[in-house]
Amino acid sequence: MIERFYLKDYLSFKESELELKSGLVVFTGPSGSGKSILMESILSSVGGATCDAAVCESSVTWEIDEESCGIENDEINVFKHIKKEKSRYFINNQSLSKKAMNSVASNYLRHLSLKDFSDFENENLLGILDARIGVKNRKFLKLKESYSAAFREYLDVKKELNAIEEEEKKIVELKEFAAFEINKIAEINPSVGEDEELLKIKKELSKKEKVLEAIEGANEIFNYEHLVSSALDSLDAQSSFFDDAMNELRSVLDGAQERFSALDDVDVEEVLNRIEALSGLKRRYGSIEEALEYKKQKEIELAKYENIELEKSVLQEQYEQFLQSISNNAKEMTELRLKALTAFEKELNTYLKSLYLRDASLELSETSFTPLGVDKLDIKLNATPLAKISTGEFNRLRLAILALKSEFMSSNGGVLMLDEIDANLSGEESMSVAKVLKKLSKHFQIFVISHQPQLTSTADQHFLVYKDGTISKTKELNFDEKVNEIARIISGENISQEAKKFAHELLEANRCAL
């Protein structure tokens, strides 16, 4: 529920703070006092509308899904909309987009705007019917779970089968392309590190003649080696250091001579061609390693294409099994729904009768497979499609659907915000709406603007919205103040004693009914 709401600087409101209770919360006041502005700002505080208030803030008891939105829960979570140069939205002082905030709030708050058909969508209507069946028949709930699991498997297999059938249409082309890509790399047959080794050979070939010529000139030093040794002996000096140095030099020059001589058998043109071929692979694939990995993937693809018929056969068999399973389950679910439909329609019409509406008819028809089976539940009011009924009839029909749904709710359903749902209704019609809203308020915190004494008298919490000069203000009313306000609704600004008496009787009657 929303426990507290704060508004600052929005149109005729300078500042307003509401401490809110659970149940049915009614806002009344003269036309133009700011009731709709107040409701709009409450919606805006949770991202459900846009307004130019400096601040609108709601403190709520809702449990936020921390994993999905990345916001930690506080003991009381605070939703805030601030408008300076631009609008900014916060939950627990963490900034986020309006869309993200509304996504969080929409799990707990519903604004029942005019001609919102969501309550009449197939998923919702079947959900209400199924909940009623499940209370009396536990087998039905297990049947739905079995169908749901098989349906998910069915969709997965169907997706794979469709992919294979699409591949089959171009299988020849795909096989040819995979074989071509494999052969292109296989013809070069590269090995990891080969390109680096060839570049090293190319570098040595480019300086072979110059290096061999230098080695040949350096070898002249060994013709004078004996002279140095003789001189050292005559000086009685140790010659071992010189001998070691000359042996090391001889080893280096001989090794180089041998290495470069081995290049005599190397075909320079072949090396260059090989380097160019490997460079082509690297330009296309990035590296030799990546080229070999690509070849491996294409080989796997080619094997898959060659075995596609076998894979398709296996999937086709699985598909038929799952199709049979969901068909059997869906058929059984349809039979149970059809058996329960008459009672469901009767209970709906009981609500409609109390709301002074004509009977509604429910029709279960067959559709394609969905997560709910093959059933589509349609509703008409006295054979009239929903799109063609009046706004008043639409709103009362929706209340009846919500009431049916709430009968099997075990937890709090969050917040409902209603437009002027009792506008243009007779006294009896307004009271019937009030009774249904009172029933719903056991499961929802309900905010509603009312211009009728019947609905107003049933409020768990009653706020008057009024103007002090040009400034809109709000005030929670006590019993006597409620009497005066309801009397004003009945008789206008000149409150009569008869109106006050009737208002008092209404409030006392509703107080006794609690």
Side-chain angles (χ1 to χ4, degrees):
M1 61 175 281
I2 299 177
E3 289 193 336
R4 171 186 170 274
F5 174 72
Y6 175 74
L7 175 65
K8 182 176 181 181
D9 293 336
Y10 181 40
L11 297 176
S12 56
F13 282 90
K14 288 301 180 184
E15 191 171 38
S16 181
E17 184 171 6
L18 307 178
E19 298 293 335
L20 298 161
K21 300 175 183 176
S22 60
L24 181 59
V25 182
V26 175
F27 298 91
T28 66
S31 296
S33 59
K35 300 182 294 298
S36 295
I37 294 172
L38 186 63
M39 291 283 272
E40 181 184 42
S41 61
I42 295 174
L43 273 175
S44 183
S45 71
V46 294
T50 300
C51 76
D52 293 328
V55 179
C56 46
E57 175 182 299
S58 289
S59 301
V60 306
T61 59
W62 307 332
E63 186 77 15
I64 297 172
D65 186 342
E66 297 181 347
E67 186 174 343
S68 65
C69 67
I71 295 174
E72 292 185 0
N73 281 286
D74 283 344
E75 185 174 347
I76 295 295
N77 292 312
V78 179
F79 287 62
K80 183 186 296 185
H81 170 214
I82 297 176
K83 179 73 179 287
K84 290 184 179 179
E85 293 180 359
K86 63 178 183 178
S87 290
R88 298 184 65 192
Y89 299 87
F90 301 86
I91 298 179
N92 297 339
N93 292 320
Q94 183 169 330
S95 179
L96 72 170
S97 69
K98 175 186 174 184
K99 183 178 179 181
M101 176 188 272
N102 189 42
S103 177
V104 174
S106 63
N107 293 317
Y108 303 95
L109 182 146
R110 287 191 59 205
H111 177 218
L112 301 185
S113 57
L114 298 178
K115 295 299 183 181
D116 175 4
F117 285 84
S118 60
D119 288 305
F120 303 103
E121 290 176 353
N122 190 50
E123 182 177 356
N124 186 60
L125 291 176
L126 281 181
I128 299 172
L129 176 60
D130 290 352
R132 306 178 84 79
I133 298 172
V135 169
K136 299 177 181 178
N137 187 346
R138 304 297 296 178
K139 176 186 174 184
F140 180 77
L141 298 179
K142 292 181 179 179
L143 184 63
K144 282 189 71 174
E145 290 176 5
S146 176
Y147 172 87
S148 181
F151 181 72
R152 288 193 296 269
E153 296 281 1
Y154 162 79
L155 288 181
D156 290 341
V157 171
K158 185 178 181 180
K159 183 178 179 180
E160 291 183 53
L161 199 55
N162 288 339
I164 284 180
E165 288 172 349
E166 284 299 315
E167 285 181 339
E168 274 189 318
K169 295 176 183 178
K170 48 186 178 180
I171 194 73
V172 174
E173 182 181 340
L174 289 170
K175 285 177 69 175
E176 288 178 353
F177 177 72
F180 173 77
E181 293 287 285
I182 291 168
N183 291 335
K184 186 163 59 177
I185 299 173
E187 285 174 358
I188 298 174
N189 194 25
S191 57
V192 177
E194 180 186 2
D195 53 335
E196 296 175 0
E197 186 63 32
L198 287 173
L199 288 172
K200 183 178 178 182
I201 291 174
K202 177 185 175 183
K203 183 177 179 181
E204 290 185 338
L205 282 171
S206 68
K207 62 181 183 178
K208 174 183 174 185
E209 292 184 6
K210 188 175 181 179
V211 171
L212 288 177
E213 183 179 337
I215 291 173
E216 185 177 352
N219 279 332
E220 287 294 323
I221 194 173
F222 298 115
N223 294 331
Y224 302 99
E225 183 179 357
H226 67 285
L227 296 176
V228 176
S229 296
S230 177
L232 290 171
D233 288 341
S234 67
L235 293 169
D236 294 327
Q238 288 288 334
S239 61
S240 59
F241 74 93
F242 177 70
D243 294 337
D244 290 342
M246 293 304 291
N247 288 334
E248 180 68 23
L249 177 60
R250 186 177 287 106
S251 175
V252 171
L253 294 178
D254 288 347
Q257 177 77 42
E258 182 178 346
R259 189 170 76 254
F260 280 96
S261 295
L263 296 176
D264 291 342
D265 297 328
V266 174
D267 187 329
V268 177
E269 186 175 350
E270 183 179 322
V271 170
L272 294 176
N273 289 338
R274 183 69 177 168
I275 288 174
E276 179 58 31
L278 293 174
S279 296
L281 288 181
K282 289 165 69 176
R283 284 193 297 272
R284 182 175 176 84
Y285 304 108
S287 67
I288 299 301
E289 291 88 340
E290 288 173 300
L292 292 172
E293 179 62 28
Y294 180 76
K295 175 174 174 283
K296 180 180 177 182
Q297 291 299 321
K298 286 299 172 185
E299 287 170 342
I300 293 171
E301 285 182 23
L302 187 59
K304 178 183 176 182
Y305 297 144
E306 290 171 348
N307 293 323
I308 197 168
E309 286 301 325
L310 176 60
E311 185 179 354
K312 181 182 177 183
S313 176
V314 172
L315 282 173
Q316 188 69 49
E317 185 176 345
Q318 291 177 347
Y319 175 81
E320 295 296 335
Q321 290 174 350
F322 286 123
L323 180 60
Q324 186 63 45
S325 176
I326 63 174
S327 296
N328 292 339
N329 287 345
K331 181 179 179 182
E332 194 171 348
M333 286 161 61
T334 298
E335 290 173 353
L336 290 170
R337 284 167 175 164
L338 283 170
K339 289 180 181 178
L341 193 60
T342 301
F344 181 48
E345 184 177 271
K346 183 178 179 181
E347 290 177 42
L348 172 61
N349 285 324
T350 299
Y351 275 108
L352 297 184
K353 184 177 181 180
S354 70
L355 289 165
Y356 297 93
L357 283 176
R358 300 163 290 168
D359 281 352
S361 59
L362 296 172
E363 181 181 350
L364 201 65
S365 58
E366 185 174 336
T367 184
S368 56
F369 286 107
T370 72
L372 301 172
V374 293
D375 299 321
K376 186 175 186 302
L377 186 54
D378 290 304
I379 184 170
K380 292 182 179 181
L381 191 61
N382 195 29
T384 305
L386 297 184
K388 295 184 178 181
I389 65 177
S390 70
T391 299
E393 289 175 324
F394 182 89
N395 282 332
R396 282 179 282 161
L397 176 58
R398 182 167 54 182
L399 279 184
I401 293 295
L402 283 169
L404 282 170
K405 187 175 184 177
S406 70
E407 288 181 359
F408 295 96
M409 293 176 65
S410 57
S411 60
N412 191 293
V415 179
L416 294 179
M417 298 188 69
L418 286 75
D419 291 319
E420 299 178 13
I421 196 161
D422 60 352
N424 302 316
L425 297 182
S426 68
E428 288 181 334
E429 290 170 339
S430 180
M431 183 54 79
S432 70
V433 168
K435 289 178 179 178
V436 174
L437 287 177
K438 196 67 177 176
K439 178 181 177 66
L440 286 172
S441 68
K442 295 177 182 178
H443 301 281
F444 298 91
Q445 182 186 38
I446 301 175
F447 297 151
V448 62
I449 295 172
S450 179
H451 291 287
Q452 297 278 17
Q454 290 80 8
L455 174 54
T456 305
S457 66
T458 63
D460 295 299
Q461 192 174 23
H462 182 176
F463 287 95
L464 173 66
V465 183
Y466 65 99
K467 277 193 172 179
D468 183 0
T470 59
I471 305 301
S472 291
K473 295 184 177 181
T474 58
K475 179 182 181 181
E476 183 178 358
L477 303 183
N478 60 32
F479 184 85
D480 290 336
E481 290 168 333
K482 289 179 184 180
V483 170
N484 288 331
E485 172 59 8
I486 293 173
R488 182 199 65 79
I489 293 172
I490 296 169
S491 63
E493 294 301 324
N494 298 318
I495 300 174
S496 66
Q497 287 301 316
E498 291 79 3
K500 289 188 71 171
K501 180 181 179 183
F502 181 60
H504 193 281
E505 289 173 353
L506 275 177
L507 286 168
E508 285 292 352
N510 283 301
R511 179 189 284 182
C512 293
L514 294 177

